[in-house]
Amino acid sequence: LPYLFIYLISDNDQEEVRATIRFVFSEASFLIIGNKYFDGYKRLMYCLAEAMSSKFKSFLMLEIYSGTYGSKKFCIKGPAEKLPSTLEMFKNELDNLTSKYLVLDLEKTVIENTTHRQPEGSQPLLSLEEIRESGCLLLGLEVPPVYRNEEGEEFPVFFRSFKD
């Protein structure tokens, strides 16, 4: 399944920006965008989704962002009722990943059946109509920020292992 990881840099998350961008950089296909020229980025994402979906019959766009400090679980946001097996498989893989870090006492991954895939207070990357028209699947992935402290200071050795 072809995919694109997307990270939207917002003004509200300066502590997490560097670490979350490092998560995105570890992927083969990513896009890091800001609020400036947002409409242009939306058009780019729509065109990419439309082209990739028509060529490969499917295309996944995953908006990744860090949860609030103290969060202990991954949260997958998407159409759980329409794609239960896809999201459940994704959940199981994330739960397998978190089982390596028992000392963190991470909770089971949550699937949130929602039309709002973006972080609270952010604009959607694509509207539901644009998602349907382009033929892509857009999911949100909230990552627990266990790799940094409340002030945003990262734990580099742990972060590297967690990211991998």
Side-chain angles (χ1 to χ4, degrees):
L1 176 66
Y3 68 92
L4 177 66
F5 263 69
I6 303 164
Y7 179 66
L8 172 61
I9 298 174
S10 80
D11 300 332
N12 302 334
D13 60 5
Q14 291 308 308
E15 304 91 41
E16 70 155 281
V17 168
R18 195 173 86 220
T20 310
I21 285 175
R22 287 175 59 198
F23 274 118
V24 175
F25 277 160
S26 68
E27 294 302 319
S29 177
F30 63 87
L31 181 62
I32 298 172
I33 61 176
N35 287 318
K36 193 174 182 181
Y37 310 118
F38 189 70
D39 288 336
Y41 286 121
K42 285 181 72 162
R43 181 74 185 139
L44 172 65
M45 287 181 285
Y46 178 81
C47 291
L48 277 171
E50 192 175 47
M52 297 299 280
S53 292
S54 61
K55 180 173 180 159
F56 296 104
K57 308 297 181 231
S58 185
F59 184 60
L60 172 64
M61 294 193 340
L62 192 66
E63 181 174 5
I64 187 171
Y65 52 93
S66 180
T68 58
Y69 181 76
S71 170
K72 294 279 190 167
K73 65 184 171 214
F74 285 93
C75 181
I76 302 166
K77 295 182 178 186
E81 292 176 353
K82 292 183 180 178
L83 298 166
S85 60
T86 300
L87 297 186
E88 194 62 35
M89 183 180 72
F90 190 22
K91 175 191 180 304
N92 290 339
E93 290 300 319
L94 288 171
D95 284 341
N96 287 338
L97 168 96
T98 60
S99 68
K100 293 180 182 179
Y101 300 100
L102 296 176
V103 72
L104 295 176
D105 195 29
L106 291 171
E107 299 170 18
K108 293 286 186 185
T109 301
V110 173
I111 297 174
E112 189 177 320
N113 184 37
T114 181
T115 57
H116 303 284
R117 290 36 181 309
Q118 68 277 2
E120 193 70 35
S122 291
Q123 300 178 61
L125 298 177
L126 295 174
S127 69
L128 290 179
E129 183 178 325
E130 290 169 321
I131 292 169
R132 278 190 289 274
E133 286 175 2
S134 68
C136 76
L137 171 60
L138 174 61
L139 301 176
L141 178 61
E142 182 179 306
V143 177
V146 295
Y147 46 84
R148 63 178 170 87
N149 64 19
E150 196 168 4
E151 290 76 41
E153 181 184 2
E154 296 172 27
F155 311 125
V157 173
F158 175 73
F159 177 82
R160 216 173 4 254
S161 169
F162 189 70
K163 177 181 66 102
D164 291 345

